[in-house]
Amino acid sequence: MAWDVLNVIGTIAFAMSGAVVALEVKYDIIGAYVLGLITAFGGGAIRNLFTGIPIIDLWQQSSLFIVAFITISIVILLPNNSVALLTKWSIFDSIGLSAFSVQGAMYAHSIDLPLFAVVFSAAITGAGGGIIRDVLAQKRPIVLRQDVYLLWAVFAGFIIGLDFLSKSYQFYILFIITFILRHISHRFSWSLPTRSIQKQKEE
């Protein structure tokens, strides 16, 4: 039950996030649907590829595709001022990351993959769609350059991979904790250490 609920939550959040970004960069309606669907399903598709699950399984989620299509349609039909307001929020990314990180880790754990694979599944399911979205929107992926983003997906995967959780309510609690951590880190602009290489000027 928890797996299905988190799947729906993540799909709605990332479909909305992708559609908002598409409108922000002035893509047309088709572009909004493409970006919304890729954001919602891209991470799961990559996870399936790396964990040996047939990609064709992705197309068995008809109900989720309908949910994503409706969500994107709502975003497209919103007034411009409402869409502009949505672009200022990171809440959809936070919700999508948290839901899909937990859901991806649950999936990998359920088929008895090792700890590293569970953590990887959490990270790629939670962040993969957003990375593809940013690349297609001609942006540098936010997950790789700022905010403590991917770390929270790794955190969720690690907790599940160590087999600490077994009850549905525990997975919901982990989802909420991951969401809160991600939202706080964005709110207060937490970031991981970075290093840049300065090119020396030729004399």
Side-chain angles (χ1 to χ4, degrees):
M1 182 65 180
W3 192 89
D4 291 326
V5 171
L6 292 173
N7 212 4
V8 172
I9 292 174
T11 297
I12 293 173
F14 270 157
M16 186 168 289
S17 172
V20 167
V21 169
L23 297 181
E24 184 182 12
V25 297
K26 296 181 171 55
Y27 282 0
D28 61 19
I29 293 177
I30 296 299
Y33 280 108
V34 169
L35 215 58
L37 290 172
I38 284 178
T39 308
F41 297 100
I46 299 173
R47 176 202 64 206
N48 288 1
L49 178 65
F50 278 93
T51 56
I53 301 167
I55 293 294
I56 195 172
D57 284 4
L58 178 70
W59 305 109
Q60 309 302 320
Q61 307 177 89
S62 300
S63 58
L64 289 179
F65 276 103
I66 293 172
V67 168
F69 187 86
I70 292 173
T71 301
I72 296 166
S73 299
I74 291 173
V75 172
I76 291 173
L77 294 174
L78 285 174
N80 288 339
N81 58 342
S82 297
V83 175
L85 181 62
L86 292 177
T87 61
K88 299 178 181 179
W89 295 353
S90 68
I91 192 168
F92 302 116
D93 259 355
S94 299
I95 293 173
L97 170 78
S98 306
F100 274 156
S101 296
V102 175
Q103 184 256 12
M106 290 174 67
Y107 195 94
H109 187 262
S110 70
I111 56 177
D112 298 321
L113 292 179
L115 175 61
F116 181 80
V118 174
V119 172
F120 173 83
S121 182
I124 202 63
T125 308
I131 293 174
I132 300 173
R133 174 202 63 204
D134 290 345
V135 170
L136 292 180
Q138 300 179 11
K139 296 182 175 183
R140 289 186 300 163
I142 188 173
V143 62
L144 302 178
R145 64 184 175 86
Q146 68 185 57
D147 289 346
V148 182
Y149 191 98
L150 196 60
L151 179 64
W152 304 130
V154 171
F155 161 77
F158 193 72
I159 295 296
I160 293 173
L162 290 177
D163 206 17
F164 286 155
L165 312 180
S166 58
K167 306 293 184 182
S168 289
Y169 76 88
Q170 294 174 328
F171 292 106
Y172 290 129
I173 291 173
L174 180 60
F175 159 67
I176 293 170
I177 291 173
T178 306
F179 167 74
I180 292 173
L181 290 171
R182 160 58 188 160
H183 199 61
I184 289 175
S185 67
H186 178 78
R187 175 68 178 80
F188 293 99
S189 300
W190 293 355
S191 60
L192 296 174
T194 60
R195 180 187 176 191
S196 60
I197 299 175
Q198 299 294 333
K199 291 184 178 180
Q200 296 181 349
K201 295 182 179 180
E202 295 182 1
E203 295 182 358

